[in-house]
Amino acid sequence: MHTNPVATICLIFSVILMHVGSLQAETPPSVVQKEVLALQTFFRPNEQAVLEALWKRAMAIEGVDCAMRAGAVPHMTTGSWRVSPSELQEAMAVLSPRLDGLTELPMTVRLEEGEYEGSIGWELIPESSPALLEYHCAVLTRLGFTYEPFRKIDIPGQWLPHITLFSVKKESAPRVREQLEPILTELREIHTLHAARLGLVTFQYPFKIVAEKALRGQ
C-alpha cells in the first residue's frame, strides 16, 4: 500500500499540535497575556475587491452582521493560535521567509446557507480537494508554529475551510432575505477564487493584519 507523504506529514504535525495544546492546558496560568493570532488566506486583488463590495452592500442593510464591522476583510482562516507578545513577534518575523516559493492555488467555491446559534449565515465553501488539503498542510508545516492552538477546526486533519460572508438573526431573516437576494445572486455566480496571499491577523478590536506574504502567481 502506498502512503501519501504529504498526508503523513500533515497527520504527524496535527498530532504534535494537539499534544502541545494539551500540555499547555495542564500548565498553570501564566502571567503573560496571550492574544488570538489567525493565519488568513486572501485572494487575488480583483476577487478581493468584488467580495469587499458585496460585504459593504450587505452591511448597508439593517439587521445584517458582518466581520467587516470589526475590521476584517474577506478571507479563509488557515490557522489560529493563542500567542504571547514574543511569540507574535517571532511569527511575524518568519512568515515571509518560510513561505518563499509557495504558489497560488485556484479553488472552486459555492455559496452555502446555514443556521447556527439563532442566526442564518452565508459562506463561500471551497470544494474539498487533495490540492486544497495539501496547501493547508504545506503552509502550516513550513511555518512550523507550535504555539497553543486556538480552534480545532484549523488544525490539519480537522480543517473546515470556509469564507464567512454575513449573517442575520433568524427572526429577521424573512424580511432581510428579500433585500439580500440581489447580493446572494451575485455570490452564486462566483465559482473560482485564488489563494493568493497569506496574512497574520490579530483579533484585538479592530482586527489588524500584522504581516503578509504574497504567493507566487501561476
Side-chain angles (χ1 to χ4, degrees):
M1 181 176 67
H2 296 286
T3 302
N4 184 331
V6 175
T8 301
I9 294 171
C10 215
L11 176 61
I12 293 171
F13 190 57
S14 175
V15 171
I16 292 171
L17 285 176
M18 294 179 70
H19 181 61
V20 168
S22 66
L23 287 178
Q24 289 171 328
E26 296 168 3
T27 304
S30 170
V31 294
V32 177
Q33 290 279 343
K34 289 194 172 186
E35 64 177 300
V36 175
L37 177 68
L39 177 67
Q40 297 181 349
T41 293
F42 306 117
F43 316 109
R44 286 181 174 176
N46 60 314
E47 298 167 347
Q48 202 78 23
V50 168
L51 291 175
E52 288 184 10
L54 292 171
W55 268 22
K56 288 177 181 177
R57 285 169 55 191
M59 280 201 310
I61 300 172
E62 183 180 356
V64 174
D65 190 25
C66 177
M68 184 176 270
R69 298 189 193 280
V73 298
H75 64 275
M76 176 176 67
T77 300
T78 311
S80 60
W81 306 269
R82 293 188 185 275
V83 296
S84 65
S86 62
E87 289 171 335
L88 173 59
Q89 293 303 312
E90 176 189 57
M92 292 167 58
V94 302
L95 180 75
S96 183
R98 290 187 182 176
L99 296 181
D100 273 345
L102 200 64
T103 58
E104 287 187 358
L105 176 72
M107 302 178 294
T108 299
V109 298
R110 68 184 184 279
L111 180 67
E112 285 201 357
E113 176 182 324
E115 182 178 336
Y116 56 96
E117 296 181 358
S119 294
I120 305 295
W122 289 267
E123 300 174 329
L124 287 173
I125 304 297
E127 182 180 287
S128 182
S129 68
L132 180 61
L133 297 179
E134 287 179 13
Y135 163 81
H136 182 242
C137 184
V139 168
L140 295 186
T141 301
R142 280 170 174 246
L143 289 176
F145 294 164
T146 56
Y147 312 137
E148 177 187 352
F150 177 57
R151 299 193 312 182
K152 288 185 178 180
I153 65 168
D154 298 325
I155 294 174
Q158 302 181 59
W159 187 42
L160 297 177
H162 61 281
I163 299 123
T164 300
L165 298 169
F166 39 75
S167 63
V168 299
K169 294 295 184 184
K170 189 176 180 180
E171 59 268 22
S172 61
R175 172 185 59 82
V176 177
R177 186 189 297 274
E178 183 177 350
Q179 299 176 68
L180 278 174
E181 191 53 41
I183 298 171
L184 296 175
T185 297
E186 291 185 45
L187 286 164
R188 292 186 191 102
E189 296 302 314
I190 297 176
H191 302 297
T192 303
L193 292 173
H194 293 78
R197 191 163 48 100
L198 282 155
L200 291 174
V201 179
T202 55
F203 276 20
Q204 290 184 352
Y205 187 88
F207 298 170
K208 182 180 179 182
I209 301 173
V210 294
E212 292 183 77
K213 175 66 174 181
L215 305 184
R216 193 173 65 206
Q218 292 189 328

